[in-house]
Amino acid sequence: MQVLRKLRLVFHTVRGHFHEVERKAGVSGAQVWALGVVRDRPGIRLGELATALDIRQSTASNLIKPLVAKGMLEVTRPECDRRIVELRVTPLARTVLRKAPLPVTGVLPHALGKLPVDQLARLDRNLDQLLAVLETDQRDARIPLGDASETHDLRARG
């Protein structure tokens, strides 16, 4: 029961942070993280953004569409290859990022990044064992926690 309680604390902390992000910034936690990455790497390509967020490129595309529509991201295509999509934040995105609670990456990635390498490796092995018992769908590992639209997709799959 102690492990269950600790996992509940993790989930509630993550969920609480996402609610706070949406309340203060007006966009999802995953979108704030994406905006932060683009702000820090102007001209980043969509595939590079997907890699930075550890999500599929199609998920990254779906994540940024509303940000483009709301005027938070500019999309440009270089003359040399019009298939390439480069992203830049707008002044509106900078305002949103100033409103968002830190860390923009989310509390869980931030906390994991603070763990010593040996502890992180041990946690990884232990989680592998738990996931094997749960018989999880590995596709779900590349869906950001802080994006409500992807959560709906998870529910639709059953």
Side-chain angles (χ1 to χ4, degrees):
M1 290 321 240
Q2 283 182 298
V3 173
L4 178 61
R5 284 188 200 122
K6 289 175 183 176
L7 286 172
R8 285 178 182 156
L9 285 173
V10 170
F11 297 143
H12 289 299
T13 301
V14 169
R15 186 173 39 185
H17 179 74
F18 290 143
H19 287 303
E20 187 73 3
V21 167
E22 289 189 43
R23 189 177 68 75
K24 289 187 174 181
V27 296
S28 74
Q31 289 173 323
V32 166
W33 187 3
L35 289 174
V37 170
V38 175
R39 177 200 57 204
D40 296 344
R41 296 176 57 189
I44 189 171
R45 294 178 178 179
L46 187 60
E48 294 168 335
L49 177 62
T51 299
L53 300 176
D54 190 36
I55 58 177
R56 293 183 209 96
Q57 189 164 335
S58 60
T59 303
S61 179
N62 290 335
L63 188 65
I64 68 158
K65 280 179 188 174
L67 298 173
V68 172
K70 291 177 184 177
M72 293 183 207
L73 286 179
E74 292 177 349
V75 175
T76 57
R77 296 178 187 273
E79 288 296 323
C80 62
D81 188 346
R82 305 297 288 168
R83 296 171 296 174
I84 296 172
V85 172
E86 296 177 339
L87 304 167
R88 288 179 178 71
V89 295
T90 65
L92 177 58
R94 291 184 188 285
T95 300
V96 166
L97 285 167
R98 280 192 296 275
K99 291 178 184 177
L102 297 176
V104 296
T105 58
V107 292
L108 189 55
H110 181 74
L112 291 171
K114 287 184 165 186
L115 290 178
V117 174
D118 62 323
Q119 287 182 9
L120 196 56
R122 187 173 40 241
L123 178 59
D124 183 46
R125 288 189 303 273
N126 292 338
L127 286 172
D128 280 343
Q129 293 171 348
L130 176 61
L131 294 171
V133 172
L134 287 172
E135 300 177 10
T136 57
D137 184 340
Q138 291 299 307
R139 295 174 298 175
D140 295 344
R142 304 279 308 266
I143 297 173
L145 290 174
D147 185 37
S149 64
E150 293 292 341
T151 303
H152 295 301
D153 291 345
L154 273 175
R155 289 187 190 129
R157 283 206 311 247

